[in-house]
Amino acid sequence: MQLRDFIELVLLASIWGAAFIFTRTATPEFGPISLITMRAGIASLILLPFVCNRNAISQITQHWRGILIVGLTNTAIPFCLFSYSLLHIGAGYASVMNATAPMFGALIGWLWLKQRISSVAVFGLLIGFIGVAVLSAAQAAAFDSISILPTLATLSATALYGYAGCFTKQHLSAVGPMALAAGSLFAATLCLLPLNIWFMPSTLPSSSSWIDAIALGALCTALAYLMYFRLIAKVGPSNALTVAYLIPAFGIMWGIVLLNETLTPSMWVGVMLVICGVLLVTGVATRVIARHRLKAKPAA
């Protein structure tokens, strides 16, 4: 990975970390359903020109049922669940919970796709979910017991992310990434529009909330997707996926800087346990240790 690609990776993580801030500030005025309808709708319109070609249209029309399922499980439902949860919990806390998606992906892949899971990954799952429990207890103690339900909402969202990843691998491997991204966002928008009629805000949101909503759709979704797929093409999927490990750091940083959020010592313990669990489950820690040992091995 060249320096320019690494800088773009860090910038992408900062943008996705900021999504939790924009959602946290805009949801009280828009409501979860209306805000996510706006986010998905704006992003799908921006990405539309990138899929206006025969190949992408053919892929979307041929696999529309699967793309609809991904639109629901990877965008519409989890985005709404996170939007709801951010009414009650901090943006930094939510960004850490978002990092549990790879753990659910490994667990669902093992249960559904019969993928092998190593003993190290099992240990990582245990460590990660202990971290979630510690973080949830600390959050509830710092605020109130109502934060338990939003925590369950975030875990449900990340479990859906894990399911969507496994479903995509099983049924949509022939669909190009840009066609899948734009098609699933468009499907999510179509599914949310009827609900939005019932959940539209009773009063017109402020200009700052509109700016947050537009930033969510244009910056944190459309532009971020374009950057992400560019990174996949340049440095490969494995390197591009490392952005997931940087997002919690930026989510916490933006929450502290912009929203004056604080993390207690017990919350930091939970954060570290979750991140360690994710690194073990995804095999990142094992690869780093193996690479270090290989470099340290004396030449014959």
Side-chain angles (χ1 to χ4, degrees):
M1 186 183 298
Q2 297 179 358
L3 178 61
R4 179 178 177 181
D5 300 321
F6 178 75
I7 292 172
E8 188 170 347
L9 186 77
V10 174
L11 179 59
L12 176 60
S14 70
I15 290 173
W16 268 335
F20 295 94
I21 305 299
F22 294 134
T23 305
R24 180 82 170 84
T25 54
T27 300
E29 294 190 41
F30 274 97
I33 303 294
S34 290
L35 179 63
I36 301 309
T37 304
M38 281 271 295
R39 178 180 182 177
I42 291 171
S44 59
L45 287 176
I46 294 174
L47 292 180
L48 184 62
F50 295 91
V51 292
C52 285
N53 58 76
R54 183 176 299 179
N55 184 46
I57 292 173
S58 174
Q59 290 178 348
I60 292 172
T61 53
Q62 184 178 353
H63 299 277
W64 69 269
R65 292 180 181 84
I67 291 174
L68 174 62
I69 292 173
V70 172
L72 287 171
T73 58
N74 197 63
T75 300
I77 300 175
F79 279 17
C80 287
L81 287 172
F82 265 109
S83 184
Y84 156 75
S85 68
L86 282 163
L87 288 169
H88 306 284
I89 62 177
Y93 173 60
S95 69
V96 175
M97 300 300 284
N98 183 71
T100 62
M103 297 196 302
F104 281 108
L107 187 59
I108 294 171
W110 174 62
L111 292 172
W112 178 23
L113 304 181
K114 307 302 179 184
Q115 295 176 344
R116 292 181 59 187
I117 183 167
S118 67
S119 56
V120 173
V122 172
F123 180 67
L125 286 172
L126 179 62
I127 292 294
F129 285 119
I130 289 174
V132 169
V134 170
L135 195 56
S136 301
Q139 176 79 10
F143 294 93
D144 51 59
S145 59
I146 198 173
S147 65
I148 298 299
L149 188 58
T151 296
L152 292 176
T154 61
L155 289 176
S156 299
T158 54
L160 285 170
Y161 286 151
Y163 169 82
C166 292
F167 181 89
T168 300
K169 183 175 183 179
Q170 185 79 348
H171 299 288
L172 297 175
S173 57
V175 181
M178 187 56 69
L180 180 59
S184 60
L185 281 166
F186 186 68
T189 305
L190 289 180
C191 292
L192 288 170
L193 277 174
L195 287 175
N196 188 50
I197 296 174
W198 296 97
F199 291 98
M200 288 182 67
S202 55
T203 58
L204 188 68
S206 64
S207 57
S208 61
S209 290
W210 278 102
I211 292 172
D212 290 340
I214 293 170
L216 264 177
L219 179 66
C220 300
T221 309
L223 177 61
Y225 274 24
L226 292 174
M227 292 173 64
Y228 182 59
F229 291 131
R230 179 186 176 279
L231 280 168
I232 289 176
K234 286 202 68 180
V235 303
S238 297
N239 285 326
L241 281 170
T242 57
V243 69
Y245 313 126
L246 300 174
I247 292 172
F250 280 101
I252 292 171
M253 183 188 73
W254 292 137
I256 292 172
V257 173
L258 300 177
L259 301 180
N260 295 318
E261 295 180 355
T262 57
L263 291 182
T264 64
S266 54
M267 287 182 184
W268 279 114
V269 171
V271 168
M272 297 310 298
L273 287 172
V274 169
I275 293 175
C276 287
V278 172
L279 293 176
L280 289 170
V281 169
T282 55
V284 172
T286 305
R287 290 195 295 271
V288 170
I289 293 171
R291 189 177 302 171
H292 178 72
R293 287 178 177 175
L294 184 63
K295 288 181 178 179
K297 187 178 179 180

